[in-house]
Amino acid sequence: MTIKKRHLIAAAYLYMVLPILIFFLTWLKIPLALLFTGVLLCGFFMTLKSYGCNFDDIYISLQNILKIVVVVFLFVYLSGQGGFFFQYHDNHWRNAVYRDLIQFDWPVIYPETGNALVYYIMHWIFPAYLSKLFSLTGESTFWIARILLFAWTYLGVLIVIILLVNYFGSGKSGNINIILAVFMGWSGINVLGGIIYNALGLTDFSLNTYLWWTNFSLDNQPYAYMYRSNMDQLASTYNQTIAPWIAAILFLDSRKISDFAFLGLCVLPYAPLPFLGLFMILVIYAIPELLQKGKKHEYKEIFKSIFSFQNVSALTILVVFFFYFKCNVAYAAGEKLSGSILYVPLSQYGVFRIFTLLLFYVLFFGAYALLIYKHYCKNYLFKIVVGLLIIIPFFRIGVLADFCWNVSVVPYFILMIFVMEYLIYYSDIKNCITKQMLGLCMCLTLSYLNPISQVAFGMKIALQEKTVLLMTDNVKTFSNKDVYDVNVEYTYNFLTPDPDKQIFYKYFAK
């Protein structure tokens, strides 16, 4: 089967851009909607036109296509998408967001309370729009809307895998097997940390993903360091996952500064914290090229790269979603903080915290990085990624460790791609099995315990409940919730009171 690369790249960008365009046309005043939609569409086509790659076709056998389709389907299904298998706790709120997007007019302002829905809703926009289009607005038809959401998520992950096949330049079976195997199992080596910290009595460790081994506090100071596995990303924060994954691969495939702002800002509406991780990579990566041009006095080229039409067109996204997200009152959850951006004060870095942090480094990403270091030690992007993974745990936004968990999405995913590349590179060299390859295989084997245990836990619940339809759905709707509802946790993450006083609803929203 032949997949034209230009079609693949267009599909990847369209997957991110289409929901943003729908948001513009359905949430904004008509003049602004038409203006911003037109500008962003032009930026989209300019990005495709300037895409820096050779548009060779990708050849994949039908057998390998079938393998990808089936494996990705199982992976997405077992992550609980659509509620057709076991779902984790976070989905109580996410299912409520999706239901409300279908059942209420856009922009969503609840008649009962006057509160507005303000959240990272972009992943739900397209399936919710289709659900509204086909009048799937009742509870009796919500299961069809869930199928549409499953299909949209599934399509996104398929695009991710095909993009990876394209990035490595070959659709042969060996490469695809490595891509699928590493992608499904990518995670930290939790079992070793769990054994140590269970022995110390600090955590009742279970391989179940929500009981990761750093999930404890000492002396009223949190630890909770974690970089999410790919399975956990889809299971817990799928709405903030697929767009950053796609953007990471598109960046690797065409590293043109003239596309950076457009690419990065396409991620912002889906996931502000993962956007921050991607943004730091793009900026740091661009610095040497810009400095080199500066030394040559190529200031016109610098200006054209930074202020290309596609980059400027993406300011439509920045303006709209800056004011939209600014409506959210979740910042109030951080009022108890001292105002410091540090996760814990530097004075708290005693011997035990330093030991825990170093062990976290080794088990979540350091072992992989060390094993491939010799091959990538001169690779600038590799240094950026590892450097960010080292410094991210020192910072915070809000009460929990979301900064660590979510800003790491893109650098952690790119590190995974480096590991894939290393394995593919050496698998192409006959009779070359190195200690590093054996070490990577051992680490990846241990990392598989995380997604396997996650699936096994879901199967256990399914057997207990005698059904696989295990959607977590206690919240139902935000239409009857107060912003600080004491009966429902985290409602402030999703609602804003008095939207008519907010700039977005005054001047942008229809």
Side-chain angles (χ1 to χ4, degrees):
M1 182 175 179
T2 302
I3 299 175
K4 292 189 176 296
K5 184 171 179 178
R6 64 174 67 251
H7 295 164
L8 174 63
I9 301 306
Y13 269 105
L14 189 61
Y15 187 90
M16 296 188 293
V17 171
L18 181 60
I20 300 172
L21 295 175
I22 293 174
F23 182 90
F24 284 174
L25 291 170
T26 55
W27 288 61
L28 304 184
K29 298 182 192 303
I30 292 177
L32 287 176
L34 295 177
L35 174 63
F36 289 173
T37 298
V39 171
L40 191 61
L41 269 176
C42 290
F44 167 71
F45 287 115
M46 288 296 292
T47 301
L48 295 183
K49 184 179 179 181
S50 72
Y51 197 83
C53 64
N54 53 21
F55 285 105
D56 294 336
D57 294 340
I58 308 162
Y59 301 99
I60 309 179
S61 70
L62 290 178
Q63 181 181 358
N64 282 329
I65 286 288
L66 181 62
K67 182 196 305 179
I68 292 171
V69 167
V70 172
V71 170
V72 171
F73 180 88
L74 289 173
F75 188 76
V76 172
Y77 172 77
L78 292 172
S79 72
Q81 294 302 308
F84 301 108
F85 188 64
F86 175 77
Q87 288 187 323
Y88 279 103
H89 190 64
D90 285 3
N91 287 285
H92 285 298
W93 294 271
R94 287 174 170 77
N95 289 326
V97 169
Y98 184 48
R99 181 185 281 106
D100 285 353
L101 285 171
I102 296 170
Q103 295 183 348
F104 290 90
D105 293 335
W106 294 355
V108 178
I109 299 177
Y110 300 107
E112 188 173 340
T113 62
N115 296 325
L117 177 67
V118 180
Y119 191 59
Y120 322 135
I121 60 175
M122 212 48 50
H123 184 74
W124 294 292
I125 285 287
F126 184 66
Y129 181 75
L130 289 181
S131 298
K132 295 170 87 69
L133 195 64
F134 293 110
S135 300
L136 306 176
T137 55
E139 194 63 32
S140 61
T141 55
F142 187 51
W143 67 273
I144 304 177
R146 288 160 53 196
I147 292 175
L148 291 174
L149 176 59
F150 179 97
W152 182 246
T153 305
Y154 175 55
L155 175 62
V157 180
L158 271 180
I159 289 173
V160 167
I161 297 300
I162 301 299
L163 280 172
L164 287 170
V165 173
N166 161 70
Y167 176 69
F168 292 118
S170 172
K172 65 182 185 180
S173 294
N175 289 8
I176 290 173
N177 291 340
I178 290 172
I179 289 168
L180 290 173
V182 177
F183 175 81
M184 291 189 299
W186 183 247
S187 177
I189 310 169
N190 273 348
V191 63
L192 298 182
I195 290 171
I196 295 170
Y197 279 70
N198 188 63
L200 294 174
L202 292 168
T203 180
D204 184 15
F205 178 75
S206 166
L207 284 174
N208 180 4
T209 183
Y210 269 88
L211 292 177
W212 69 94
W213 58 274
T214 61
N215 189 22
F216 61 89
S217 297
L218 278 178
D219 301 323
N220 295 319
Q221 294 293 342
Y223 282 72
Y225 301 118
M226 177 181 66
Y227 292 153
R228 295 185 189 275
S229 68
N230 286 348
M231 173 68 83
D232 189 27
Q233 285 286 138
L234 278 182
S236 303
T237 57
Y238 61 90
N239 60 304
Q240 301 181 60
T241 293
I242 297 175
W245 283 353
I246 290 175
I249 307 169
L250 290 173
F251 158 66
L252 290 174
D253 198 44
S254 177
R255 308 178 194 186
K256 296 180 68 175
I257 297 174
S258 58
D259 298 332
F260 278 8
F262 186 90
L263 178 62
L265 287 170
C266 280
V267 174
L268 175 63
Y270 293 86
L273 288 178
F275 158 76
L276 181 57
L278 174 62
F279 174 78
M280 289 190 288
I281 290 173
L282 295 176
V283 170
I284 298 170
Y285 188 85
I287 289 173
E289 182 178 337
L290 294 176
L291 290 176
Q292 190 66 26
K293 289 181 177 180
K295 288 180 180 179
K296 297 178 181 179
H297 305 290
E298 297 176 350
Y299 302 117
K300 184 178 178 180
E301 291 299 316
I302 293 175
F303 183 86
K304 286 171 63 177
S305 294
I306 296 175
F307 297 102
S308 65
F309 181 84
Q310 55 267 37
N311 280 348
V312 173
S313 74
L315 293 177
T316 56
I317 301 174
L318 179 63
V319 170
V320 170
F321 285 94
F322 171 79
F323 287 109
Y324 176 65
F325 290 143
K326 196 171 184 293
C327 298
N328 192 282
V329 297
Y331 70 87
E335 288 179 353
K336 296 178 182 178
L337 301 178
S338 63
S340 172
I341 62 171
L342 295 177
Y343 184 50
V344 295
L346 293 178
S347 59
Q348 294 294 322
Y349 283 86
V351 172
F352 184 73
R353 179 172 290 276
I354 292 173
F355 171 78
T356 300
L357 190 57
L358 291 175
L359 189 61
F360 164 76
Y361 286 163
V362 171
L363 296 183
F364 272 86
F365 69 91
Y368 300 116
L370 288 171
L371 286 166
I372 64 175
Y373 175 77
K374 186 176 180 180
H375 190 70
Y376 292 104
C377 60
K378 295 182 180 179
N379 187 301
Y380 182 53
L381 179 60
F382 178 77
K383 295 176 183 177
I384 294 172
V385 165
V386 174
L388 287 176
L389 291 175
I390 290 172
I391 67 172
I392 283 171
F394 286 93
F395 300 96
R396 78 187 302 165
I397 292 178
V399 174
L400 301 176
D402 293 74
F403 190 94
C404 178
W405 305 339
N406 295 330
V407 174
S408 59
V409 170
V410 173
Y412 200 45
F413 193 74
I414 292 177
L415 179 63
M416 178 200 74
I417 295 174
F418 277 122
V419 170
M420 287 180 180
E421 186 177 65
Y422 185 91
L423 291 172
I424 288 172
Y425 172 78
Y426 278 104
S427 68
D428 285 338
I429 301 176
K430 293 182 180 180
N431 302 319
C432 183
I433 300 177
T434 65
K435 293 179 181 178
Q436 289 83 1
M437 280 192 70
L438 291 174
L440 284 175
C441 290
M442 184 178 299
C443 291
L444 289 167
T445 300
L446 292 173
S447 76
Y448 253 94
L449 292 173
N450 296 314
I452 288 173
S453 65
Q454 187 170 335
V455 172
F457 184 78
M459 289 180 174
K460 174 184 175 182
I461 301 300
L463 289 171
Q464 290 175 352
E465 301 295 327
K466 295 182 173 55
T467 180
V468 294
L469 304 178
L470 295 165
M471 183 172 69
T472 54
D473 198 28
N474 289 347
V475 176
K476 297 292 184 185
T477 179
F478 293 102
S479 62
N480 55 1
K481 307 292 191 300
D482 293 326
V483 175
Y484 299 103
D485 195 323
V486 296
N487 298 313
V488 182
E489 291 181 300
Y490 308 128
T491 52
Y492 54 79
N493 276 334
F494 305 91
L495 299 173
T496 186
D498 304 317
D500 55 308
K501 297 179 181 179
Q502 302 288 342
I503 291 176
F504 176 81
Y505 289 95
K506 270 187 178 181
Y507 302 110
F508 289 86
K510 67 180 183 180

